[in-house]
Each structure stands twice: as structure tokens, then as C-alpha cells.
Amino acid sequence: MAHIRIQLMSDLCAGNGESIGYGIDSDICSDQYGFPFIPGRRILGCLRDAAVQLGKYGLKEATDANIEGIFGNANGMEGKLRIGNASLPDI
């Protein structure tokens, strides 16, 4: 398994999409011990959005078919790329 290092250059609010009460999203995702993490699906969504933007800027390889093959689609087709949660190092 490969690892990548993420360095945040600004504040981040990576909520988990779960709401409490009247639709308030949890501000921070934390594990069972209270340590924060960035959900893998949030990272995957950012990468997908970047691929779509590259297609709009004219990158020939960033076709809809290639993007779906890598990231999947909303109809349940799974993509080839798998990304786990990003956690603090040495935890």
C-alpha cells in the first residue's frame, strides 16, 4: 500500500456528511480516540473534481469515460482508485 503526505495550506473543515438534529453537519471527523482525520471519500471527491477541471482546460486524457473508470459514477459503478482516510502520522 502506498502512502501520500498531505500538507494543508489553509484551514480545513472536512465534515463527514452526517447531520445531527436540524441538519447540522459535524464540523470535524474524528476516530474512536478523538484524533481528527480526513475521510477518504472527501479526498477522492477533490481528486475527481480536479480531473474534471483538467478536462475543461483541454487535457485530452480527462474524458468522461476515463474519469468514470478511475473514480466510478453515481449509478453504482465502482472506480479503480481506492483511497483510505487520511490520518495524522504515527497514530
Side-chain angles (χ1 to χ4, degrees):
M1 171 177 24
H3 290 87
I4 61 171
R5 179 183 170 97
I6 298 173
Q7 181 177 354
L8 300 177
M9 304 302 285
S10 64
D11 293 339
L12 171 74
C13 180
N16 60 9
E18 295 178 10
S19 59
I20 301 170
Y22 294 99
I24 300 170
D25 187 13
S26 172
D27 285 342
I28 299 172
C29 293
S30 55
D31 65 13
Q32 62 186 1
Y33 303 107
F35 292 107
F37 68 91
I38 303 171
R41 61 189 261 177
R42 176 67 53 117
I43 299 167
L44 198 64
C46 290
L47 291 173
R48 181 188 183 99
D49 186 58
V52 169
Q53 292 299 319
L54 287 170
K56 289 180 181 178
Y57 289 129
L59 182 68
K60 296 177 196 173
E61 293 83 3
T63 64
D64 290 343
N66 284 345
I67 291 171
E68 279 192 1
I70 294 169
F71 299 101
N73 65 27
N75 296 325
M77 183 185 106
E78 289 191 28
K80 294 179 181 176
L81 182 61
R82 301 282 186 267
I83 296 186
N85 296 335
S87 60
L88 297 170
D90 303 322
I91 292 184

